[in-house]
Amino acid sequence: MSRAASLPVIYSAQSVIGMSDFSEELKGPVTDDEQVETSVLSGAGMHFPWLQTYIETVAIGGKRKKDFAQTTSACLSFIQEALLKHQWQQAAEYMHSYFQTLEDSDSYKRQAAPEIIWKLGSEILFYHPKSNVETFNTFADRMKNIGIMNYLKISLQHALYLLHHGMLEDAKRKLSEAETWRHGEKTSSREILINLIQAYKGLLQYYTWSKKKRELSKLDKDDYAYSAVAQDVFNHSWKTSVNISALIKMPGVWDPFVKSYVEMLEFYGDRDGAQEVLTNYAYDEKFPSNPNAHIYLYNFLKRQKAPRSKLISVLKILYQIVPSHKLMLEFHTLLRKSEKEEHHKLGLEVLFGVLDFAGCTKNITAWKYLAKYVKKTLMGNHLVWVQEEWKSRKNWWPSFHFSYFWAKSDWKEDTALACEKAFVAGLLLGKGCRYFRYILKQDHQILGKKIKRMKRSVKKYSIVNPRL
Amino acid sequence: MDLEEAEEFKERCTQCEAVSWGLTDEGKYYCTSCHNVTERSKEVINSDIIPNAQIKALNRGLKRKNNSEKGWDWYVCEGFQHILYQQAEALKNLGVGPELKNDVLHNFWKRYLQKSKQAYCKNPVYTTGRKPTVLEDNLSHSDWASEPELPSDVNSPFLESGMESQSDVHTRKSLRISKALQSETSVCSGSLDGVEYSQRKEKGLVKMTVPQTLAFCYLSLLWQREAITLSDLLRFVEEDHIPYINAFQHFPEQMKLYGRDRGIFGTESWPNYDDIYKKTIEVATFLDLPRFPDITEDCYLHPNILCMKYLMEVNLPDEMHSLTCHVVKMTGMGEADFLTFDPIAKVAKTVKYDVQAVAVIVVVLKLLFLLDDNLEWSLSNLAEKHNEKNKKDKPWFNFRKWYQIMKKAFDEKKQNWEEARAKYLWKSEKPLYYSYVDKPVAYKKREMVVNLQKQFSTLVDSTPTAGKKSPSSFQFNWTEEDTERTCFHGHSLQGVLKEKGQSLLTKNSLYWLSTQKFCRCYCTHVTTYEESNYSLSYQFILNLFSFLLRIKASLLHEEVSLVEKELFKKKYSVTKKKSKSKKRRR
């Protein structure tokens, strides 16, 4: 039941200029801080807000919290409130006072301050009407140099800000600056950041490359400019590949990077390379489960005209992650065409699976496929398969798909859909089913014949009344 | 000694060994024969802040290499003296009589230095190991009240006048010796005795702290019977009218603070009423002060006058004053013996004048309106009806209307207060750091913060937020002209009183006690205030008043219980009946 209620997870490729993600990220950790401050997580997962204050007083020897700590934390909540209400002016006013946490005598808080200030401050400067790119630049440059912990992160976000304002060249420069920045020990977290910075640089190069490519496609081969542009296109590619390839070897979700990298590899005919990248991205267990990885691989293989069995094996994994994905209908077709019997059975499963989801209930293709395929399966003497699928659904599909209400509204909206559904309903629930009966009663001239045929098939094949 | 007495610089030039000095424009010494300019300067730059005596005393008494980077040699108690000096100046600017600074506070401080064995005694703590031969108790000396400024008491107050006695030489000598000892050990403070000071622990000793300075101020105010209550004083501190937070930043440039001084002079909290109150008693007992001047009916601190003031402040009818006076009389709280602070009495205690006056008002409100979330509203209905009918008469006081207006005003005030607190800038222009190594880091941080603040202040609306509020003992302002905010001062209590023969009775004949039982023992645990156990009106009134005084509501509740204890003394001792009627006369 719950499966039906939850919509399929939609994984959209991260936009290249992820400013919206950026600002969300800004809000996230700050509220986390707040939570840490006010509550203690006990073993049982319960929150005791009072316990934290108690512990705090114990920790400082029974003394009450200093007013400095009190007012700055009040200041922080005022800033958050102002941000929430989009009162940038007020937020800036409080921010003016909040800077003093950089001088907090509590070293733990002092160290945490630059990051909080950066997040809040950049958010304010992003939206504040009096703010401009210069203000933001000054702020970012200042914050970068308070402690070395945040240099790379801030540089990257700074570059994203510039991108958002269409300042590609400046963004590229910031990224290059960050890339060559060396300070102190190289830690693993910093390495990831450097890779990310390089990859973003690569992405920017890709952007230029693809623009050039488009220009190239517009040009005539005999055009005198052609060779120059072509040369340019080629020059760009190797730089980009170096920049991106390091990142996508590390576990993570790198959709936009992978996509553009593969596009370039394909463009230069390095199919094996592209396939390796995609296979690695989809199958390496260290990577988080990512439907897009399988979609990219499937689309690539399809372009490469790979054998059916290979395509099936890719989609099988996608089926396990996102059974409601629109590619599932394609998957079904592949399975149907396959010679193996187990694939035929799976084809049925897939169709039922798709229709379990609320978002797919009006997908006429899915219903058409199901109607046809159930009939075919029953005709092929595989009643057990259908019964097996139906067993877990017979409790809720009738009210979920085949209620009287749906019959009426489906008929009103889309008679073709209603017919397909009625057919399935008849096959699964028998001719007594309300949905089926309702559609049957409707006297439709064009569909009359079809309905008659349907009635006959239902009589003959319905699983409710198996012919023995 | 001769060299020092001559007011001139008589050291040999490091370049040419000559002793012939001139003064440059910047006040630095230069050698007239080889034109070598020294780092030394004629040290009278800040003479307006600190009297010459101290500088000279330090300079001459402790003639050691004083590189300008390290600053002057100074003692912790000099730092506190400086803060007290600033605070006394600020009080003077608030309109307090000049005697407070020149006589009272000065003497308290001298007495403190003596009692804590830091000066004016035979055996100052600084002379570890060596004892000076003579140093008579100076308290009886003629300079007791004649000093115009606070001099450097540590080294001896009359160096300035040139009448150096043998004893001073001795003190100074011993100081010099102890200083020599310390300069090797006390690397971790800007002051000479910072480390020693923070380690000093003796039984019965009251050590100076920054909050303690306010105890001194309050004691002097109390001695002078000035029209400033403790809550006023603390509010002025919070509003920055009296130096307290970062008071050290006004120390002369050459008094460097770091390391241990940070813990001694740095403050990151506003003073707390109860804390300062306790400290006041502690200091007064330590100083062994005699009974303070009597608080009589014409003193500001007398409950009758304070009640009037607070009635005006919270917009209650003037007519209530006669009732408060009555309660004060019945409880005996208006007696001079009750009100006057006597530190040498068996149990030294002083009255929390402001809290007590407010508690009396709360009791009177309870007498009139019961405050049980019921009677006050039905009385309001009566008043409303009456006022509608008789528009020309003096209106009856309507509790509901008062509540609505006060609630709004109070909420606004509190909101502003919270916002202002959240915006408070705690850090001084002079950052405090742990050691010399940290200094550049601390200064760099400071600069960064200042730059960031500058940048963000351009984003703030150009209209500057109303500058520093001018100090006032009133926080609310009610005038007849303001139509938005009704002023209830002139409203009558007729609606809640009834005549019976010659006397007036309250219409309400019930009363409930804020506390049923008191602890038998002498512990301070009088009562606990669990907000939700009380009526909403009572909560509101406690919150309103405790906000005005910047104290916790529970503290006021406690005081209300104490007033009730006095008022219903008999009932407390005879029966424990909850409610009783009360007859009162006007």
Side-chain angles (χ1 to χ4, degrees), chain A residues 214-279:
Chain A
R214 246 177 291 138
E215 272 172 42
L216 195 65
S217 66
K218 274 183 220 150
L219 287 175
D220 201 333
K221 268 205 175 170
D222 304 327
D223 196 313
Y224 68 96
Y226 183 85
S227 61
V229 175
Q231 193 58 43
D232 237 21
V233 171
F234 278 92
N235 276 345
H236 257 97
S237 65
W238 69 269
K239 270 196 269 171
T240 313
S241 56
V242 168
N243 279 330
I244 293 184
S245 62
L247 177 75
I248 58 178
K249 278 189 195 120
M250 313 192 74
V253 179
W254 313 121
D255 293 352
F257 303 101
V258 170
K259 239 176 126 177
S260 40
Y261 186 45
V262 166
E263 189 190 331
M264 293 175 82
L265 288 176
E266 263 187 288
F267 183 79
Y268 295 109
D270 186 1
R271 280 184 202 133
D272 293 343
Q275 186 164 350
E276 198 194 317
V277 167
L278 285 171
T279 315

Side-chain angles (χ1 to χ4, degrees), chain B residues 12-47:
Chain B
R12 285 190 184 281
C13 171
T14 48
Q15 303 257 315
C16 66
E17 306 243 309
V19 188
S20 130
W21 298 102
L23 268 177
T24 64
D25 288 345
E26 296 96 343
K28 286 190 175 169
Y29 292 105
Y30 72 97
C31 178
T32 47
S33 60
C34 70
H35 299 282
N36 168 35
V37 181
T38 62
E39 284 301 304
R40 288 287 187 83
S41 49
K42 208 169 154 74
E43 315 224 38
V44 282
I45 310 142
N46 285 302
S47 55

Side-chain angles (χ1 to χ4, degrees), chain A residues 61-261:
Chain A
K63 279 183 206 157
R64 76 200 172 100
K65 213 168 152 192
K66 279 180 178 166
D67 286 335
F68 175 82
Q70 259 171 11
T71 61
T72 46
S73 86
C75 190
L76 178 62
S77 11
F78 276 121
I79 298 173
Q80 287 169 331
E81 200 188 319
L83 288 180
L84 218 61
K85 295 180 181 164
H86 291 211
Q87 297 166 336
W88 315 117
Q89 181 111 347
Q90 270 96 316
E93 246 169 79
Y94 286 112
M95 204 60 208
H96 181 267
S97 300
Y98 196 69
F99 287 126
Q100 57 187 331
T101 52
L102 288 171
E103 291 179 282
D104 201 318
S105 46
D106 178 339
S107 64
Y108 174 75
K109 284 190 183 159
R110 190 171 59 231
Q111 275 160 21
E115 194 171 347
I116 300 176
I117 287 178
W118 161 249
K119 284 173 176 169
L120 297 170
S122 54
E123 176 92 349
I124 293 168
L125 291 180
F126 185 73
Y127 291 105
H128 198 287
K130 274 192 206 163
S131 162
N132 52 33
V133 177
E134 267 157 64
T135 343
F136 195 95
N137 286 346
T138 329
F139 179 65
D141 287 337
R142 265 188 194 136
M143 291 312 295
K144 268 180 221 171
N145 293 311
I146 296 180
I148 54 165
M149 304 301 290
N150 302 303
Y151 187 93
L152 292 174
K153 235 186 257 178
I154 294 176
S155 297
L156 183 56
Q157 292 180 347
H158 189 186
L160 293 178
Y161 173 87
L162 292 169
L163 278 181
H164 185 85
H165 286 262
M167 301 165 74
L168 260 63
E169 284 311 308
D170 295 73
K172 223 183 263 180
R173 202 166 331 113
K174 285 286 164 227
L175 290 172
S176 305
E177 262 173 48
E179 195 185 11
T180 51
W181 181 77
R182 292 284 175 273
H183 203 296
E185 275 174 67
K186 229 186 181 182
T187 57
S188 59
S189 64
R190 212 185 275 175
E191 203 171 327
I192 295 177
L193 274 173
I194 289 185
N195 281 337
L196 201 59
I197 284 166
Q198 285 174 338
Y200 266 105
K201 218 175 116 188
L203 211 56
L204 285 180
Q205 283 158 352
Y206 160 80
Y207 179 73
T208 338
W209 174 81
S210 95
K211 221 164 62 181
K212 292 246 167 71
K213 201 181 81 174
R214 246 177 291 138
E215 272 172 42
L216 195 65
S217 66
K218 274 183 220 150
L219 287 175
D220 201 333
K221 268 205 175 170
D222 304 327
D223 196 313
Y224 68 96
Y226 183 85
S227 61
V229 175
Q231 193 58 43
D232 237 21
V233 171
F234 278 92
N235 276 345
H236 257 97
S237 65
W238 69 269
K239 270 196 269 171
T240 313
S241 56
V242 168
N243 279 330
I244 293 184
S245 62
L247 177 75
I248 58 178
K249 278 189 195 120
M250 313 192 74
V253 179
W254 313 121
D255 293 352
F257 303 101
V258 170
K259 239 176 126 177
S260 40
Y261 186 45

Side-chain angles (χ1 to χ4, degrees), chain B residues 315 400-416 476 478 482-486 540 544 547:
Chain B
N315 201 9
R400 181 185 292 118
K401 228 173 144 193
W402 174 81
Y403 167 78
Q404 285 162 348
I405 283 169
M406 284 315 289
K407 171 91 176 128
K408 195 166 158 261
F410 166 61
D411 286 348
E412 270 169 27
K413 202 71 165 194
K414 196 161 182 196
Q415 177 75 21
N416 290 342
F476 287 110
W478 309 99
D482 199 339
T483 46
E484 280 274 302
R485 300 164 16 131
T486 322
F540 170 74
L544 170 66
F547 171 73

